[in-house]
Amino acid sequence: MLDKLKHTFKHTAIYSFGNIANKLVGILLLPFYTKALSLGEYGIYDIIMTTIAIFTQILIVGQSQSLIRFYTDEEYADQKGEVLNNILFFLLSVLAGFVSITLFYADELRLLLGQGIVNLTLVQLSCFVIAARIMNILFLTLLRALEKSFFFAVVSLLKFVLVLCLNIYFVIVKNWGIEGIIVAFLIGEVIQIFVLTPSYLKRSKFKINFLLLKSLISFGSPLIFSSLASILLNMGNRYFLLYLANEDAVGIYALASRYAGILNNFFIQAFNMSILPIAFKMYLKPDAKRYFSKIFTYYILFLVWAGLTFILFGNDLIKLVSNKVEFYDAYKILPILILGYIFVGIKGFANIGLYINKKTSLVALFTILALSINILLNILLIPMYSYVGSAISMLVTFIFLFAITLGGSQKQYKVDFEYRRIIYLFSLGIIFWAIFEIFIIENKIVELLLKSISVFLFPIILVISGFLEEVEKTRIKELYLQYSKLSEWEKLINRKKN
C-alpha cells in the first residue's frame, strides 16, 4: 500500500510541476498584464483565453481519454501503435475542417468576442493556437500513458520559459497588448509540437483500422459534452458577465479566478492526470478499494489545507500583483472560488467508478445537468450581484455536480470513503477561515504572523485531535526514522570525506 501511495504522489508531484508550467505564465505576468492592460482589456484577454480553452475541449473529441483508456488496456496490448495512429488521423481531419471554417468566418466571430474590441488578427491567431494546443495535448497524453512524468515536466518547463520570455518581449518591450500575449502562446505551442512529434510517431503503426477508430470515437465522443460542459462550468460565466454586466466585471472575476485557479492547475488537474492511468491498472486488485478510500481522504486533507492557505493570504497577494486599485475587489470572491475548486477536485476523483466501467455517457449527463443549473443561476444572480453572483453560482453548481457524480460512481464501483474524517477536515478549515473574517487585525505584520502560525497549526491540530489512525501514525514514524537514518548516513559519509 505504501509503495502505491508513493508511486501516485510521485507522479502527481511531477505532473503538478509540468502542468503548472503552462499556467504559471499567466500568474507570473499578472503584474505586467495589470500594468499594460486596463481592467476591461484584461477581461477581454480572459474571454479570448476562455474561448481557446472551450474549442480545445470540443475539438479534441475526448481522444486524450481514449488514448489513456485503450493504450493502457491489456485487451489492446497488440494494437497500441494502431491506437496512436488512428487517433492522430482522426484529430488531423477534425482540425483541418475547423481551421478552414474559422478563417472563413473570422470577421463574424470577432464581433461575438468582446463586442467589437477583438480584431481579425486575434481571431486568426487564436484559431492556430487551438489547433497546435490540441496536438500537444495528444502528445503529452502519450507521455502520461507511458508514465514518463519526468520528460513531461521537462518539456513543459522549456515551453514555460520560452512563453514567459516571449510574453515579456511582446507585451512589455513591443507593447503589442493582447495580440502579443496570443503570439507568444502560439510560438510556444508550435515549438513544443516539433519536440514531441518524433516520440509519438515512433510508437505509431501507420494503419487505419476503422473498427478500432469507431471504438475510440464511441468512447471519447460522449466526453465532448462532459468536457465542454465542464469547461463552461469553470469559465463560461465570463460570457454571462460580459453580456449581463461589462468587461470590468469579467476582469475582476478573471483575476480572482486566475489566483484561485493555482490550486486547480497546480494540484487538482495534475492529480487527476496521474490517478486515472493508475486506477485502470489496479482497480481489479484486492486492496484497490482501500487504496482509493485512503487516497481520497489524503487528497481532501491537502486541498483543504492548501485552500485555507490561499484564502488567508489571498488579499495581500492580489494587491501585490495588481498595479491598479481597480483590480483589488477580486479578493471579495476569492474564498467562494477556492471552495468551488476544492469540489472540482474531489468531483474529478469521484469520476473513477464511471471511467472504470466505461460509463462516460453518465459523466456527460451529470455535467450537462450541472451546466443547466449554472446557466440558470448566472442569469438570475449576475444582474443583481455582478461577479459575486457569478462566483456563488459556480460554487453551488460544483457542490451539486460532486454529489450526483459520487452517487452515480458508487453504484458502478463502490468504495467505502471515510466520510466522518472528510467532514471534520472541511469543518476545521471553515473554523480557521471564520476566525480571521470575524476578528480584524489592524497591524499587518501581526496579521501575517498569525496567519502563518494558523497554516502551520492546521496539521498539528489534526494529529492532536485524533484524526490520524494508529496505522497512519506508525507509517509516519517509520518514514521519519527512515529519513533520520539516511541523514545520519549522509553525515557519516561527509565526515569520512573530510
Side-chain angles (χ1 to χ4, degrees):
M1 172 67 73
L2 186 59
D3 290 337
K4 290 171 185 171
L5 292 174
K6 287 180 180 177
H7 178 75
T8 301
F9 286 118
K10 170 195 166 187
H11 285 283
T12 297
I14 297 176
Y15 285 134
S16 295
F17 177 75
N19 192 50
I20 198 174
N22 191 38
K23 310 286 185 178
L24 198 57
V25 174
I27 302 296
L28 292 179
L29 291 175
L30 275 176
F32 300 105
Y33 288 171
T34 55
K35 182 178 181 180
L37 306 175
S38 68
L39 183 59
E41 286 174 332
Y42 186 77
I44 294 301
Y45 151 72
D46 193 68
I47 287 286
I48 292 172
M49 298 307 293
T50 298
T51 305
I52 289 173
I54 289 172
F55 275 94
T56 299
Q57 289 294 332
I58 295 172
L59 296 170
I60 202 167
V61 202
Q63 292 310 295
S64 57
Q65 288 93 334
S66 291
L67 192 153
I68 289 287
R69 184 69 182 89
F70 285 78
Y71 194 84
T72 59
D73 196 326
E74 292 298 323
E75 182 182 345
Y76 295 92
D78 297 330
Q79 295 179 286
K80 288 186 175 183
E82 292 181 35
V83 168
L84 298 180
N85 185 66
N86 279 268
I87 291 176
L88 181 61
F89 167 77
F90 174 63
L91 288 181
L92 286 174
S93 302
V94 170
L95 292 176
F98 164 73
V99 171
S100 301
I101 293 170
T102 302
L103 294 180
F104 186 80
Y105 289 104
D107 195 51
E108 288 80 0
L109 289 171
R110 76 177 181 84
L111 296 175
L112 293 175
L113 302 172
Q115 300 173 329
I117 299 175
V118 177
N119 60 42
L120 195 63
T121 303
L122 278 174
V123 174
Q124 294 167 339
L125 288 171
S126 300
C127 167
F128 291 117
V129 169
I130 292 166
R133 186 162 292 179
I134 286 173
M135 298 311 300
N136 279 320
I137 290 172
L138 179 64
F139 296 157
L140 289 170
T141 301
L142 176 60
L143 297 184
R144 287 171 50 205
L146 296 169
E147 295 189 9
K148 291 185 176 292
S149 49
F150 180 75
F151 186 38
F152 182 102
V154 169
V155 171
S156 299
L157 175 62
L158 292 175
K159 178 186 171 185
F160 160 71
V161 173
L162 175 64
V163 173
L164 184 68
C165 294
L166 290 172
N167 261 277
I168 293 173
Y169 177 72
F170 290 131
V171 178
I172 306 303
V173 179
K174 301 294 289 184
N175 197 28
W176 285 6
I178 301 173
E179 204 168 291
I181 299 173
I182 307 303
V183 169
F185 278 110
L186 178 58
I187 294 173
E189 296 290 350
V190 170
I191 290 177
Q192 191 175 61
I193 286 175
F194 281 109
V195 173
L196 294 176
T197 299
S199 175
Y200 191 94
L201 294 180
K202 185 176 79 171
R203 292 176 171 84
S204 297
K205 184 177 180 181
F206 298 97
K207 177 183 177 182
I208 304 299
N209 183 332
F210 288 104
L211 187 62
L212 175 61
L213 182 58
K214 181 181 177 181
S215 298
L216 292 166
I217 296 172
S218 296
F219 179 84
S221 56
L223 296 173
I224 296 176
F225 305 103
S226 61
S227 296
L228 175 60
S230 179
I231 203 162
L232 285 173
L233 285 174
N234 278 290
M235 306 174 78
N237 47 11
R238 271 74 158 180
Y239 298 107
F240 288 102
L241 283 168
L242 179 64
Y243 290 102
L244 297 177
N246 52 48
E247 293 93 343
D248 287 356
V250 179
I252 290 201
Y253 188 95
L255 180 61
S257 181
R258 197 165 295 277
Y259 177 75
I262 296 174
L263 180 65
N264 183 39
N265 297 323
F266 182 74
F267 192 80
I268 292 172
Q269 291 184 17
F271 180 83
N272 289 341
M273 282 194 291
S274 63
I275 195 65
L276 269 181
I278 295 168
F280 288 142
K281 290 178 181 178
M282 68 170 295
Y283 72 92
L284 293 175
K285 295 181 180 180
D287 61 342
K289 293 186 176 182
R290 172 176 164 75
Y291 165 79
F292 291 140
S293 177
K294 290 296 179 184
I295 283 288
F296 192 57
T297 301
Y298 303 150
Y299 183 38
I300 293 175
L301 189 159
F302 177 86
L303 289 180
V304 172
W305 190 18
L308 176 66
T309 305
F310 275 75
I311 291 172
L312 293 182
F313 294 99
N315 191 24
D316 301 294
L317 287 173
I318 284 176
K319 289 180 179 179
L320 182 67
V321 301
S322 303
N323 278 292
K324 298 168 186 170
V325 177
E326 56 187 335
F327 285 93
Y328 289 179
D329 283 346
Y331 177 71
K332 292 179 180 178
I333 57 174
L334 188 61
I336 303 172
L337 295 182
I338 287 178
L339 184 57
Y341 276 124
I342 290 174
F343 278 97
V344 170
I346 58 180
K347 185 275 299 182
F349 190 97
N351 272 333
I352 284 179
L354 301 176
Y355 279 111
I356 285 173
N357 287 310
K358 301 181 181 179
K359 299 293 183 179
T360 51
S361 57
L362 285 179
V363 177
L365 175 62
F366 293 157
T367 312
I368 291 169
L369 282 174
L371 177 60
S372 302
I373 292 174
N374 184 256
I375 291 172
L376 179 62
L377 288 174
N378 272 299
I379 292 172
L380 291 174
L381 297 177
I382 288 176
M384 293 187 289
Y385 306 109
S386 188
Y387 52 85
V388 176
S390 187
I392 293 171
S393 72
M394 178 261 203
L395 174 59
V396 172
T397 300
F398 278 119
I399 292 174
F400 168 77
L401 181 57
F402 164 70
I404 59 173
T405 299
L406 181 65
S409 185
Q410 288 288 75
K411 290 181 180 179
Q412 299 297 324
Y413 185 82
K414 184 172 175 56
V415 177
D416 293 322
F417 292 118
E418 301 171 320
Y419 295 111
R420 287 186 179 179
R421 299 177 81 195
I422 291 167
I423 292 171
Y424 178 73
L425 286 170
F426 275 105
S427 301
L428 186 62
I430 290 171
I431 290 170
F432 270 83
W433 166 74
I435 288 172
F436 286 96
E437 286 295 309
I438 295 170
F439 300 102
I440 306 300
I441 303 169
E442 297 295 335
N443 189 301
K444 179 56 68 175
I445 296 175
V446 173
E447 180 191 13
L448 291 175
L449 180 62
L450 289 175
K451 287 179 177 179
S452 300
I453 292 171
S454 298
V455 171
F456 178 75
L457 282 176
F458 185 83
I460 295 176
I461 290 176
L462 289 178
V463 175
I464 294 173
S465 62
F467 176 81
L468 295 178
E469 297 175 351
E470 287 303 319
V471 65
E472 291 168 339
K473 292 179 182 178
T474 303
R475 290 297 187 189
I476 291 172
K477 288 178 182 178
E478 289 175 357
L479 288 172
Y480 173 75
L481 291 172
Q482 188 178 17
Y483 175 77
S484 300
K485 288 178 181 178
L486 287 173
S487 299
E488 291 299 323
W489 275 105
E490 288 174 1
K491 290 177 183 177
L492 184 62
I493 290 170
N494 290 331
R495 284 174 188 170
K496 288 183 177 180
K497 284 182 179 179
N498 295 329

